[in-house]
Structure formats: C-alpha cells, structure tokens
Amino acid sequence: QVQLVESGGGLVQAGGSLRLSCLAPGRTRRYLGWFRQAPGKEREFVAAIRWSSGSTYSADSVKGRFTISRDNAKNTVYLQMNSLKPEDTAVYYCAATSSSDYVRPGAMELWGKGTLVTVSS
C-alpha cells in the first residue's frame, strides 16, 4: 500500500522557518496537500499542489508565509514555512486525493503519520 512519509518538523522560535517534506511514492493521486491539527482543534487545510501542473492553493492563514512546491523526480512535496507564529504549532499531515475537493480532510484518500511543529514565543 502506498504510504506518505513526512519529515522536517521540530521546534523553532517565532519568526523562524522550517521546511517539511512529504515523500509520495508513485504519485498515485492528483493532489497532494498539507493539513494541520493543533491540540483540541479540528484538522484544517494548509496548502495543496496538483502534481501535473504544479498549481498551488493555500489557506488564507498561511498565504504569504508558507509555500508548497514539488520535485517530480524525487516524488516529494515540500512545505516551506516562514515567519512562523506560535499559533502555527500543530501536527502537520501530508495527504493525497484524486478528488478536486483538496481542502476537505474527509476527501483525502491517503495520509501520512504526521510531523510535529512547535513554535515557541
């Protein structure tokens, strides 16, 4: 079974940067996205990218700070996170879907196990 594998989480001070990676062997779904879930909150959409065209989509809360990109040769999608804030603290999940409803967690068909990002103030 295809698995998504995230890496790159960690502890960073507010204003700092991190880059998350998601290895997606086979690129079997049209869209790959990043979601996050903070303690006590619902999982929410962060950003997505369409494998074929490279078109990207981001939540308003991260626009201008987070950038999603892909490396087709490496079957890897990245989430570059700059100007991090304490409210960005969450477990970040990589997910993939063939549906065009890439913002809805329930529409995702594959999930990684998540990587923790902690932003200290």
Side-chain angles (χ1 to χ4, degrees):
Q1 184 174 353
V2 175
Q3 292 186 337
L4 306 178
V5 181
E6 305 99 333
S7 61
L11 174 64
V12 64
Q13 288 188 332
S17 299
L18 280 175
R19 188 178 78 159
L20 305 183
S21 300
C22 175
L23 176 62
R27 291 188 276 138
T28 59
R29 301 294 189 275
R30 277 201 297 168
Y31 294 91
L32 194 139
W34 288 96
F35 291 77
R36 66 186 181 185
Q37 188 165 18
K41 294 189 177 181
E42 293 186 352
R43 195 167 297 189
E44 65 175 2
F45 170 75
V46 175
I49 190 166
R50 185 166 179 167
W51 277 115
S52 59
S53 65
S55 297
T56 62
Y57 316 88
S58 300
D60 288 343
S61 59
V62 305
K63 280 181 180 175
R65 300 189 299 124
F66 292 11
T67 302
I68 189 169
S69 62
R70 75 194 194 302
D71 184 330
N72 286 350
K74 296 182 178 179
N75 290 338
T76 299
V77 170
Y78 303 99
L79 185 67
Q80 178 66 43
M81 305 185 295
N82 299 328
S83 302
L84 282 161
K85 305 175 181 179
E87 52 263 43
D88 294 318
T89 295
V91 177
Y92 283 70
Y93 297 91
C94 177
T97 184
S98 297
S99 165
S100 58
D101 191 9
Y102 49 78
V103 302
R104 189 168 62 89
M108 309 311 281
E109 298 160 356
L110 297 174
W111 288 93
K113 294 183 178 180
T115 185
L116 177 62
V117 172
T118 304
V119 184
S120 63
S121 57

